[in-house]
Amino acid sequence: MPITATGNYSQPFKGSLGGTYLMFWNGQNVTITGTGYFCVRYEIAWFNRVGPMVMPTWTGLRGKLFHVASGGGRRMDDNGPDQPADVTWMGNPKAGYITLPPGAQQMWNNEFFYLDGTVTLHETEGYADYNLSVTPSTWDQVTHDIDAAPDGRGIVRYGLVRDTGTDAAPVPQYLTRSTPAKPTDVPQHSEVTAGS
């Protein structure tokens, strides 16, 4: 069954971050269902607000979900092209920076996942502003993304594959099979096994 989505999300508009199902505000969510790959694209909106980031969470997992690759040409803490070393996609000295909780994995611009089942991704921003999009993908699109060579502009590094080809592949942080009343209650290092 191909990847489909429902939920409380926004439609793309001119000037918005790329993607199909967009989330801009706390409380928006996308329930993703099917078998296949999808991309979660991050926009770290330090130009609106900076400070500690409340990470997005994944709830209600049924089936399997794996974090298979990272791409988009950059980690969000990378230095921007032709910019001083302290200017990144997380902020700059003048505006300040959006910072991650201790132990949170630094996100890339595009994070790729494989799903066989259903799961809900929640936009859970607090004071720090960020935006997300979810877009169904194929493995060919994933490899095209992560194989893009640095170009001195937006692409500053090759992407990487996280998939092991087995059920030992990593799962996202902040993932649970439960459906807590507050999505922000999902622990950072959830233990997600077939029976839990």
Side-chain angles (χ1 to χ4, degrees), residues 50-66:
V50 297
M53 182 170 170
V54 179
M55 302 296 284
T57 61
W58 307 78
T59 66
L61 173 65
R62 298 198 305 274
K64 298 178 180 181
L65 175 67
F66 299 111

Side-chain angles (χ1 to χ4, degrees), residues 58-160:
W58 307 78
T59 66
L61 173 65
R62 298 198 305 274
K64 298 178 180 181
L65 175 67
F66 299 111
H67 185 186
V68 297
S70 297
R74 54 189 176 263
R75 279 181 20 159
M76 301 307 280
D77 61 345
D78 280 331
N79 177 227
D82 301 320
Q83 297 291 327
D86 54 3
V87 175
T88 74
W89 280 277
M90 299 293 285
N92 61 54
K94 183 176 180 181
Y97 296 89
I98 289 179
T99 58
L100 304 185
Q105 186 177 78
Q106 176 63 53
M107 74 286 294
W108 291 55
N109 192 199
N110 293 337
E111 298 286 4
F112 295 97
F113 302 89
Y114 178 83
L115 175 68
D116 182 9
T118 187
V119 70
T120 300
L121 176 62
H122 300 266
E123 161 74 84
T124 56
E125 69 184 12
Y127 187 75
D129 192 0
Y130 66 92
N131 305 314
L132 302 171
S133 69
V134 172
T135 305
S137 186
T138 65
W139 185 247
D140 284 346
Q141 290 170 321
V142 174
T143 55
H144 181 268
D145 180 296
I146 64 177
D147 288 345
D151 59 6
R153 299 186 296 278
I155 300 176
V156 300
R157 67 164 80 198
Y158 287 98
L160 59 87

Side-chain angles (χ1 to χ4, degrees), residues 2-56:
I3 294 292
T4 60
T6 59
N8 171 22
Y9 55 82
S10 300
Q11 298 295 327
F13 57 89
K14 186 175 181 179
S16 66
L17 79 161
T20 304
Y21 308 100
L22 279 55
M23 291 178 279
F24 295 99
W25 303 287
N26 187 31
Q28 290 193 296
N29 59 78
V30 175
T31 298
I32 309 149
T33 302
T35 301
Y37 298 95
F38 63 93
C39 174
V40 175
R41 186 173 181 86
Y42 280 84
E43 179 179 48
I44 305 300
W46 55 265
F47 40 82
N48 291 332
R49 299 189 308 272
V50 297
M53 182 170 170
V54 179
M55 302 296 284

Side-chain angles (χ1 to χ4, degrees), residues 163-177:
D163 192 5
T164 63
T166 72
D167 283 2
V171 300
Q173 289 183 304
Y174 304 95
L175 169 66
T176 181
R177 291 186 183 277

